[in-house]
Amino acid sequence: MKAKVGDRLVVEGTRHGETRRIGVVVGLVHEDGSPPYMVHWEHDEHETMVFPGPDAHVVSEDRKETPLTTS
């Protein structure tokens, strides 16, 4: 997984009742874009260092698609 600042990190809910979490990558630890990432989460406006698991994927900021939603 590789990301750059401005990309979105999407973490899918893996258990019943969990919702998709969407955040914006605001910082990189490694120049090559490999994890971990500093992520600003949209749902509660906080930032955390994230080591994404298999339930996560990156959506490039320049990818043309329908806006992501949390529902």
Side-chain angles (χ1 to χ4, degrees):
M1 176 181 302
K2 302 285 182 166
K4 61 185 181 305
V5 172
D7 288 350
R8 291 181 183 263
L9 181 68
V10 179
V11 181
E12 302 294 347
T14 57
R15 293 185 224 156
H16 181 70
E18 285 184 337
T19 59
R20 171 189 282 185
R21 293 185 304 147
I22 301 170
V24 177
V25 176
V26 295
L28 301 174
V29 174
H30 305 287
E31 290 182 20
D32 70 352
S34 61
Y37 310 120
M38 280 302 298
V39 175
H40 179 88
W41 295 105
E42 295 180 349
H43 68 284
D44 64 1
E45 299 294 322
H46 79 281
E47 291 184 7
T48 58
M49 179 75 64
V50 179
F51 294 81
D55 58 340
H57 64 275
V58 172
V59 177
S60 176
E61 74 172 331
D62 47 61
R63 184 172 159 191
K64 305 292 186 214
E65 69 172 49
T66 306
L68 300 171
T69 62
T70 55
S71 54

